Amino acid sequence: MAGEPQSDCLFCKIVAGEVPATLVRETETTLAFRDINPQAPTHVLVIPRLHYPDAASLAAAAPSVAADVLREAGEVAEQEKIDGSGYRIVLNTGAGAGQTVFHAHAHVLGGRGLNWPPG
């Protein structure tokens, strides 16, 4: 159920401290940690502490938490010193878009040129 921890969710396990992660920032509603398979020199994931399967369900059920995720993505960029050179925030929704962990999360990518279109 949305908003409740899922026993089979990797990110819920990270929030609970059951799986280690390299934390970058944390707030009452979010957690930010380094991606274990970085696609750029800076690649940090920002997740809501509560479980929502994707960005669309998070935005529909908890728009203030969705805003917290985006705000924290900006804070991560500033802390990592990529805010001046530019960075990308990516929210994949669904397997066809590349989502592999079905807990809403934003990728903060930077530290190199990010071409357009992506992919």
Side-chain angles (χ1 to χ4, degrees), residues 14-66:
I14 290 173
V15 169
E18 298 169 9
V19 171
T22 304
L23 299 182
V24 173
R25 293 180 58 85
E26 55 184 311
T27 70
E28 184 177 312
T29 59
T30 67
L31 193 64
F33 53 92
R34 299 206 183 279
D35 193 294
I36 62 169
N37 185 25
Q39 300 300 304
T42 297
H43 189 167
V44 175
L45 302 178
V46 181
I47 67 170
R49 288 183 178 271
L50 299 176
H51 182 89
Y52 296 91
D54 54 43
S57 64
L58 170 62
S64 65
V65 177

Side-chain angles (χ1 to χ4, degrees), residues 95-116:
Q99 185 179 6
T100 57
V101 177
F102 292 90
H103 181 122
H105 58 285
H107 298 258
V108 180
L109 299 148
R112 68 167 173 82
L114 298 168
N115 298 323
W116 195 261

Side-chain angles (χ1 to χ4, degrees), residues 8-19:
D8 61 344
C9 175
L10 173 63
F11 290 172
C12 286
K13 290 178 181 179
I14 290 173
V15 169
E18 298 169 9
V19 171

